[in-house]
C-alpha cells in the first residue's frame, strides 16, 4: 500500500485523484488534440508536464515536480463535447514498482488551449452524493481501507454517469498550466 499511496500522493501535485480499476474510455472513444502536446508548467512553476505522442491516440506525460519524476500514459476523449484525460502509469512506472503496485486509472476534465491548459480534478464528495441519490443504480465501486472511493464501473457506465450530472460539480478543483515551449 505504501507505493500506491506514494503514487497517488505525488500524482499531479495539487490535484486530488479518484482511482478507477477501469479506464474512462473504450478504444473507439479516443481522440487526439495537437494543442495538448508540448511543455506545460503550473503558474507557480512547481510542476511541469511534457506531453508527447505515443502511438495512435495515446500520449506519454512526463511529470516533474519536487518529488521524483513520473511517466504516465494518457488518453484523450470527449464526453458530451468536453475533453477528458484518462491517465495510467506507464509500463516503465509499473516496472519500477514491482508486484506491490496496483496500477489504476484516474481521469480529469481538461480544457486545452493554445497557451493554457486547465485540469479539473474529480470532486469525490460530489460523486458520492450523486451515487447515493441513484439508490442502487449508481456506479460500481468499493472503498479502500482509508475510506477513499475506488471506482470499478465499466467505461460505458463511467461515461453515462458523467453525461448525467453537471461536470462543473463532478470536476471542481482545477490546476492551471501555461505553455512553456510552443
Amino acid at each position: 500500500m505504501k507505493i500506491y499511496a506514494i503514487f497517488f500522493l505525488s500524482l499531479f501535485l495539487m490535484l486530488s485523484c479518484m482511482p478507477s480499476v477501469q479506464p474512462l474510455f473504450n478504444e473507439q472513444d479516443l481522440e487526439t488534440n495537437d494543442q495538448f502536446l508540448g511543455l506545460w508548467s503550473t503558474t507557480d512553476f512547481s510542476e511541469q508536464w511534457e506531453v508527447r505522442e505515443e502511438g495512435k491516440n495515446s500520449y506519454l506525460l512526463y511529470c516533474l515536480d519536487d518529488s521524483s519524476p513520473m511517466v504516465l500514459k494518457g488518453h484523450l476523449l470527449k464526453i458530451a463535447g468536453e475533453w477528458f484525460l484518462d491517465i495510467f502509469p506507464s509500463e516503465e512506472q509499473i516496472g519500477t514498482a514491482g508486484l506491490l503496485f496496483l496500477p489504476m486509472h484516474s481521469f480529469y476534465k481538461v480544457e486545452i488551449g493554445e497557451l493554457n491548459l486547465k485540469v479539473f480534478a474529480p470532486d469525490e464528495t460530489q460523486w458520492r452524493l450523486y451515487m447515493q441519490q441513484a439508490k442502487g443504480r449508481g456506479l460500481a465501486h468499493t472503498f479502500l481501507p482509508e475510506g477513499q472511493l475506488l471506482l470499478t464501473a465499466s467505461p460505458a457506465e463511467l461515461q453515462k454517469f458523467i453525461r448525467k450530472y453537471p461536470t462543473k460539480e463532478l470536476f471542481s478543483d482545477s490546476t492551471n498550466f501555461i505553455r512553456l515551449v510552443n
Side-chain angles (χ1 to χ4, degrees), residues 63-129:
C63 303
L64 309 168
D65 58 25
D66 296 334
S67 62
S68 61
M70 296 187 65
V71 182
L72 304 168
K73 193 163 189 169
H75 294 91
L76 289 174
L77 68 148
K78 280 189 176 179
I79 301 173
E82 296 184 283
W83 285 105
F84 289 84
L85 172 64
D86 179 294
I87 59 166
F88 189 78
S90 68
E91 290 176 16
E92 171 187 316
Q93 208 67 50
I94 293 170
T96 61
L99 296 175
L100 297 175
F101 185 75
L102 181 60
M104 303 265 186
H105 290 265
S106 57
F107 45 85
Y108 304 87
K109 181 181 170 294
V110 293
E111 293 176 0
I112 306 167
E114 188 176 329
L115 300 175
N116 297 294
L117 173 67
K118 198 166 192 174
V119 181
F120 296 85
D123 182 331
E124 185 175 331
T125 302
Q126 199 62 47
W127 280 70
R128 285 181 188 227
L129 176 67

Side-chain angles (χ1 to χ4, degrees), residues 38-42 45 47-49 115 178-182:
L39 185 60
W40 300 94
S41 176
T42 53
F45 299 100
E47 182 176 0
Q48 291 184 353
W49 291 1
L115 300 175
I178 54 173
R179 184 178 300 281
L180 294 181
V181 178
N182 199 4

Side-chain angles (χ1 to χ4, degrees), residues 6 11 13 27 46 49-50 59 96 104 138 166:
I6 291 169
L11 183 62
L13 247 187
E27 290 297 319
S46 64
W49 291 1
E50 183 178 354
Y59 301 91
T96 61
M104 303 265 186

Side-chain angles (χ1 to χ4, degrees), residues 30 125 151:
L30 296 178
T125 302
L151 298 173

